């Protein structure tokens, strides 16, 4: 056997995509560093919302990012401690303590694994584009609004620093894109504030950074039926909110990168990450849209390496370079997030030309989604309300597509009604009233060749029509049923009209 044949049969080792070229590797590493810097103040802020020590949020961001980079289904997406998840479990912590919160995180992760295995990700197909656009726009608004408190009652120097940071991030890419502009902005502004001794709020003002790695352990709560009953409702809400935000964010990244992600793997991966995070004393989390946009859109990352390194760099900076990181001015990170908010918003969706062409129902759905998210500060509630609004709008549109037209034969002995359209609960409600029961001849034919029966409401409506004609001694013959329509009518016909 020749050496060439032996080489051809030798199995090829898996080579991660981030090793494809030095440029890709550099991009992923720098993106992870920028995201880690942006994660620190966010994690501390969310810890305050949940009422826990800042280290609990930072540990969660570290473990979530590292674990999801391995088990997740969407490359380059960032998962960490989030505000939405903190709001869900905050009441539990305030009433019962940290042990119950950690227990809810672990149980919520188990729920996510189960829901993921059951195929909850497939429900994403029912989220219309108008809801997705509303989700993105609301997210951009929330990211911007989250920066407003950092601009209130602060030294005047904060404002020129924010403007300078924005200017650097806009202009620096015109010079070179080798180094991410947000990283340059953060470093330059930090050097300026330290060198000039400018007194402005810093990352250190948000809370004390941890000085050691987290260690695994069990939650400090009674593992009894009573204890599980207390945390179960919070855990289930935690699971649903986390999955919804993560899957919506994954879909957004799919569109931005023009690639496909494994939503089922992502759902299960979120659960695995939360279970591990809980055992390491973290407050849990889900996908973070702001940091994901920094990673994917601003820094240009496309692989799992950037997600993994964002968690590693986060802990490294907290433990090894805590004093330096604490000196980063909040103004630098505010500038980054403002630019992210601007880039995230879908400006095309609100352009006058787009609004003129868009059906009014689509605009209403998008607006409702945005308003609900901004008012409640909960992306999951906004998406649910948006989907329900879209379903109602769709049902109203389709309901008017079912038409009935009748033709009496020349001898006046038979009338043939042609029904066209989709028959379901909304369209079939008016079906009963579109026949002339009193004046029609004794032989009535209803032709459903151009219609389709979808549900029991439609079968009940046809039964009601037959009953009304029968009460007047008239015979009804239904023809033209397709296979599926005939099956549902055969199964339910005559069983739904009360006597």
């Amino acid at each position: 056997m020749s050496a060439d044949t032996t080489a051809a049969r030798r199995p090829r080792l898996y080579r991660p995509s981030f090793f494809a070229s030095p440029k890709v590797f550099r991009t992923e590493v720098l993106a992870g560093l920028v995201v880690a810097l942006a994660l620190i103040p966010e994690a501390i802020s969310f810890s305050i919302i949940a009422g826990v020590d800042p280290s609990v949020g930072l540990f969660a961001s570290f473990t979530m990012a590292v674990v999801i980079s391995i088990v997740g289904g969407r490359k380059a997406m960032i998962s960490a401690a989030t505000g939405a998840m903190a709001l869900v479990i905050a009441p539990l912590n305030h009433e019962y303590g940290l042990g119950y919160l950690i227990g809810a995180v672990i149980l919520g992760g188990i729920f996510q694994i189960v829901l993921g295995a059951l195929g909850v990700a497939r429900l994403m197909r029912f989220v219309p584009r108008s809801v997705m656009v509303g989700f993105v726009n609301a997210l951009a608004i929330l990211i911007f609004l989250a920066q407003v408190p950092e601009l209130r009652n602060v030294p005047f120097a904060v404002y020129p620093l924010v403007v300078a940071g924005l200017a650097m991030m806009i202009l620096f890419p015109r010079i070179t894109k080798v180094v991410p502009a947000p990283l340059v902005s953060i470093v330059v502004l930090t050097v300026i504030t330290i060198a000039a001794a400018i007194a402005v709020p810093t990352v250190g003002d948000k809370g004390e950074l941890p000085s050691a790695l987290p260690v695994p352990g069990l939650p400090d709560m009674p593992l009894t039926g009573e204890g599980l009953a207390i945390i179960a409702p919070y855990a289930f809400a935690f699971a649903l909110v986390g999955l919804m935000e993560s899957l919506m964010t994954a879909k957004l990244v799919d569109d931005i990168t023009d690639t496909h992600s494994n939503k089922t793997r992502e759902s299960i991966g979120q659960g695995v990450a939360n279970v591990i995070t809980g055992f390491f004393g973290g407050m849990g989390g889900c996908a973070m849209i702001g940091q994901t946009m920094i990673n994917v859109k601003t820094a240009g990352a496309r692989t799992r390496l950037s997600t993994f390194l964002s968690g590693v760099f986060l802990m490294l900076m907290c433990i090894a370079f805590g004093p330096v990181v604490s000196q980063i001015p909040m103004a630098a990170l505010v500038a980054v997030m403002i630019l992210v908010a601007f880039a995230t918003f879908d400006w095309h969706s609100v352009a006058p030309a787009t609004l003129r062409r868009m059906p009014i129902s689509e605009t209403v759905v998008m607006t409702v989604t945005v308003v609900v998210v901004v008012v409640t500060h909960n992306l999951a509630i906004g998406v649910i309300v948006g989907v329900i609004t879209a379903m109602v709008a769709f049902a109203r549109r389709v309901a008017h597509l079912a038409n009935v037209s009748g033709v009496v034969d020349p001898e006046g002995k038979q009338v043939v009604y042609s029904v066209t359209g989709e028959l379901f609960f909304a369209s079939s409600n008016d079906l009963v009233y579109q026949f002339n029961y009193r004046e029609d001849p004794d032989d009535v034919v209803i032709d459903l060749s151009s219609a389709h029966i979808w549900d029991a409401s439609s079968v009940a409506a046809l039964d009601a029509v037959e009953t009304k004609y029968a009460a007047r001694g008239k015979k009804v013959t239904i023809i033209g049923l397709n296979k599926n329509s005939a099956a549902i009518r055969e199964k339910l016909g005559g069983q739904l009209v009360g006597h």
Side-chain angles (χ1 to χ4, degrees), residues 148-303:
V148 173
E150 304 297 338
L151 300 174
R152 289 177 178 168
N153 303 319
V154 294
F156 179 78
V158 168
Y159 303 111
L161 286 174
V162 171
V163 173
L166 289 170
M168 275 188 282
M169 287 185 288
I170 294 171
L171 299 176
F172 189 77
R174 300 181 182 181
I175 301 172
T176 178
K177 294 183 180 180
V178 173
V179 181
L183 179 58
V184 174
S185 174
I186 292 170
V187 171
V188 171
L189 293 183
T190 302
V191 171
I192 290 174
T193 54
I194 294 176
I198 302 175
V200 292
T202 63
V203 170
D205 296 331
K206 289 288 184 180
E208 186 178 353
L209 301 181
S211 57
L213 288 171
V215 293
L218 294 174
D220 184 17
M221 63 165 285
L223 299 177
T224 61
E226 183 180 354
L228 292 176
I230 292 173
I231 67 173
Y234 296 94
F236 192 65
F238 177 93
L240 290 180
V241 171
L243 284 181
M244 186 168 294
E245 292 206 24
S246 298
L247 293 175
M248 291 291 287
T249 304
K251 190 173 187 298
L252 177 60
V253 177
D254 289 353
D255 294 339
I256 292 173
T257 60
D258 196 25
T259 57
H260 180 70
S261 59
N262 187 330
K263 305 296 191 304
T264 297
R265 177 177 173 179
E266 181 62 35
S267 301
I268 297 173
Q270 287 289 329
V272 172
N274 274 308
V275 170
I276 294 175
T277 296
F279 281 121
F280 275 91
M283 57 183 278
C286 63
M288 294 190 77
I289 185 67
Q291 277 65 22
T292 297
M293 289 299 99
I294 293 175
N295 195 46
V296 174
K297 215 167 185 180
T298 307
R302 292 292 183 272
T303 77

